[in-house]
Amino acid sequence: MSGPPAPPNQLSPDGKWWWDGTRWTPVAPSTALAAGSGAVTPYARSTNGLAIASLVFAIASWFVCPFVGGVLAVILGHVARGQIRRTGEAGGGLAMAGLILGYIHLVIAIVAGIIWLALVVGFFATLGTLGTASPTPSLLP
């Protein structure tokens, strides 16, 4: 931090550093002192954008873009969880919800695709047997 030293008991403008009168120290993630008031207020962590996107694609996969939305939800959910572990951002629950919904949708889509394929193959197999003439039995003299 550059510039003139802040007065004692001062919070930095970005809310991440606390001036104790002699040095800047990192603010604990759970609490931060409100600037100038001395009152303890909750520290607002930013939410990971990919976690939000994962949940949005997971929900959209059920209504708008079936298979692609599920794949994007799973990919973005895994990337978001990795970023959250590294940076300490909020949004772990959003990423997990996106992963769960995305995986459930992909499993349902794959099972529905297999059932659909079996029905189509069965239909054409049945259609192929209907067109053949069956031999007529010979009449006895």
Side-chain angles (χ1 to χ4, degrees), residues 83-97:
Q83 287 180 354
I84 289 169
R85 276 191 221 107
R86 281 192 313 274
T87 63
E89 289 177 301
L94 297 175
M96 183 58 74

Side-chain angles (χ1 to χ4, degrees), residues 58-72:
I59 293 171
S61 72
W62 290 92
F63 302 107
V64 181
C65 50
F67 190 75
V68 175
V71 170
L72 286 174

Side-chain angles (χ1 to χ4, degrees), residues 18-125:
W18 171 254
W19 179 257
D20 65 3
T22 59
R23 62 186 166 91
W24 288 99
T25 58
V27 175
S30 60
T31 59
L33 294 178
S37 68
V40 176
T41 58
Y43 179 76
R45 296 184 303 168
S46 63
T47 304
N48 186 289
L50 292 179
I52 296 170
S54 172
L55 184 59
V56 167
F57 276 113
I59 293 171
S61 72
W62 290 92
F63 302 107
V64 181
C65 50
F67 190 75
V68 175
V71 170
L72 286 174
V74 169
I75 292 170
L76 293 176
H78 281 292
V79 172
R81 284 179 48 92
Q83 287 180 354
I84 289 169
R85 276 191 221 107
R86 281 192 313 274
T87 63
E89 289 177 301
L94 297 175
M96 183 58 74
L99 280 171
I100 291 170
L101 287 174
Y103 274 126
I104 289 173
H105 186 268
L106 288 177
V107 167
I108 290 173
I110 290 170
V111 169
I114 291 171
I115 291 172
W116 181 82
L117 186 65
L119 287 174
V120 168
V121 168
F123 173 75
F124 282 113

